[in-house]
Amino acid sequence: MKQNLNRGILIAAALMIVSAIPSFSMEPIAAPQQRPSINRRVRRHRVKWNPVFRPSRESLLLQNAEVDRMELPRIQDDFELETLKSKGELVEINTSEHLRFDPRLDPDRRYCRTWTRDFVEDLSKAYFEAFGAQIQVNSAVRTVKIQKKLRRHNRNAAPEKGELASSHLAGTTVDLQRRGMTPQQIAWMQQYMMPLKELGLIEPEEERRQWVFHVMVSNKYAQTREDKPAVAEQGPVFVNRSEASSELASAQ
């Protein structure tokens, strides 16, 4: 009897508690609405790196051998750089409708050898005639001090000394912007430079990380330019390649 009474009290208490709780909705909770998936693939135009002038140890050796043949010093610091400028052994590269600079390039280093400037001017004029666009110079003369700093954050940069040293240190070399060129423009550049390389007038490389044409120019270019004025006006056009080669041999 007592047990039944206690059970009744418990049941009554339970009913009171339940009645005090707000009523629960029996409707199912809606799942969060899922947004339709969107294909966010972005198509980017990329030019495949397939160089005609592949960077190599052999190319660096050729560049340094040519610098040694010309008996040019590797410029150590700003004092030597300014001395060569004052003597006229380094000349300023001038901007024009067909030639511009990377604005990050220090104006004090927009200099090179006279024959290198001749090459840049001839190339940029021919390129402008072909495409109505400018050639951009990203780098020209450097000092050993500058090259050391460059190698701290760019391990692909050539050393500042030794048989593989950068030819920028002699003022014979320029880096020309390759990034942004169309495949047709790149092919044009390669075709323009190939006969000059075969004649030993330039030693070009197509760098991958920096995406530039690195071009070392020999002082032989100046003699060829005098012998063949059409080079300055129409690009590296030789009516007879064997004839041009024999002229180079006699000029050396």
Side-chain angles (χ1 to χ4, degrees):
M1 181 74 177
K2 188 176 181 179
Q3 291 179 352
N4 291 336
L5 181 61
N6 291 338
R7 183 178 299 172
I9 293 171
L10 290 174
I11 293 173
L15 290 173
M16 290 176 65
I17 294 172
V18 170
S19 63
I21 299 175
S23 60
F24 293 96
S25 173
M26 299 303 293
E27 296 179 2
I29 300 174
Q33 186 176 2
Q34 294 183 352
R35 295 182 179 179
S37 60
I38 300 175
N39 187 349
R40 297 185 180 278
R41 291 181 182 177
V42 178
R43 293 185 178 180
R44 296 180 179 178
H45 176 70
R46 294 183 179 179
V47 177
K48 184 178 180 181
W49 187 69
N50 187 24
V52 171
F53 309 115
R54 186 175 293 272
S56 65
R57 175 185 174 86
E58 179 184 2
S59 179
L60 288 175
L61 290 173
L62 285 173
Q63 292 175 53
N64 278 275
E66 189 63 14
V67 170
D68 291 340
R69 184 195 67 78
M70 293 184 283
E71 298 182 345
L72 298 176
R74 276 70 172 182
I75 304 166
Q76 296 297 312
D77 50 33
D78 288 343
F79 177 79
E80 290 189 15
L81 179 64
E82 294 303 321
T83 300
L84 291 172
K85 289 180 187 178
S86 64
K87 292 180 178 180
E89 295 184 33
L90 289 174
V91 293
E92 186 174 7
I93 305 171
N94 299 312
T95 58
S96 65
E97 65 174 356
H98 43 77
L99 184 66
R100 68 174 184 264
F101 284 99
D102 183 330
R104 295 170 295 181
L105 180 61
D106 187 337
D108 288 339
R109 293 192 283 117
R110 298 179 182 184
Y111 287 77
C112 63
R113 299 290 173 175
T114 55
W115 53 86
T116 303
R117 184 177 67 177
D118 291 342
F119 165 78
V120 173
E121 289 182 349
D122 294 344
L123 170 63
S124 62
K125 286 178 182 177
Y127 185 86
F128 187 82
E129 287 293 323
F131 300 105
Q134 292 176 308
I135 288 287
Q136 177 172 299
V137 177
N138 284 5
S139 184
V141 67
R142 296 180 196 153
T143 65
V144 170
K145 187 176 181 180
I146 290 294
Q147 193 71 19
K148 285 181 179 179
K149 290 181 179 179
L150 181 62
R151 280 180 57 80
R152 290 174 189 171
H153 58 83
N154 181 5
R155 300 309 300 174
N156 289 334
E160 70 278 1
K161 60 183 178 180
E163 61 181 3
L164 303 178
S166 171
S167 56
H168 283 281
L169 305 177
T172 60
T173 303
V174 289
D175 288 346
L176 307 176
Q177 175 82 346
R178 185 176 182 270
R179 187 180 301 279
M181 287 185 176
T182 66
Q184 292 76 19
Q185 289 169 333
I186 291 173
W188 185 94
M189 292 282 286
Q190 292 166 339
Q191 292 169 8
Y192 183 101
M193 290 191 285
M194 180 57 75
L196 298 178
K197 173 180 168 59
E198 291 176 351
L199 290 169
L201 307 183
I202 65 172
E203 179 57 33
E205 293 182 329
E206 296 176 64
E207 296 183 8
R208 184 172 190 176
R209 182 171 180 177
Q210 301 299 322
W211 279 79
V212 297
F213 288 98
H214 165 102
V215 190
M216 190 281 298
V217 186
S218 168
N219 61 0
K220 301 173 188 175
Y221 183 86
Q223 184 63 49
T224 305
R225 193 172 188 257
E226 292 178 3
D227 294 341
K228 296 287 183 179
V231 173
E233 299 175 0
Q234 302 175 5
V237 180
F238 297 98
V239 177
N240 187 312
R241 184 167 295 178
S242 60
E243 175 188 348
S245 299
S246 63
E247 288 180 6
L248 280 172
S250 63
Q252 295 176 13

